[in-house]
Amino acid sequence: EEEVVVFMGWGPDPIWTDAKVTSNTPACKSQNCVLVSVELDPDVAKQFTIPGQYVQIRLDEDTKPLFLAIASSPTPSSGEEEEEEDDDDDDEE
């Protein structure tokens, strides 16, 4: 039997950039999903163009980061993007 060794990692450490949360609203009736809109530098925003990419958000250096999937690409001129946070897989529509 052949042995296969797999190495996994999270990749390089994240590069943290300042951003402003412009809205945080429920995305479904159960409120287990939220829609978070952030405003950030357009040069940073243009790196996130494919839904399904993720970002990490934290309040400060002492806060554990929150991983958020990007539901839509940012608006190119505004640098605003939306992420969807799903706290529970049993959402009700």
Side-chain angles (χ1 to χ4, degrees), residues 5 11 22 24 26 28 45-46 51 54 57 60 68 81-82 87 92:
V5 178
T22 56
N24 179 7
C28 63
K46 72 181 179 185
Y54 73 92
I57 294 179
D60 55 37
L68 300 176
E81 67 180 78
E82 297 178 344
D87 289 337
E92 300 172 9

Side-chain angles (χ1 to χ4, degrees), residues 1-79:
E1 191 172 309
E2 185 177 332
E3 184 177 311
V4 177
V5 178
V6 179
F7 295 96
M8 294 186 211
W10 286 97
D13 289 338
I15 298 170
W16 297 102
T17 305
D18 289 336
K20 177 183 177 183
V21 174
T22 56
S23 70
N24 179 7
T25 58
C28 63
K29 291 180 184 179
S30 70
Q31 298 187 10
N32 289 327
C33 290
V34 294
L35 179 65
V36 179
S37 296
V38 296
E39 184 179 298
L40 63 155
D41 184 292
D43 288 334
V44 173
K46 72 181 179 185
Q47 297 175 44
F48 297 94
T49 58
I50 303 168
Q53 287 179 288
Y54 73 92
V55 295
Q56 296 181 55
I57 294 179
R58 66 182 185 186
L59 184 59
D60 55 37
E61 290 184 23
D62 299 324
T63 308
K64 183 177 177 181
L66 178 64
F67 288 75
L68 300 176
I70 298 174
S72 60
S73 351
T75 306
S77 59
S78 72

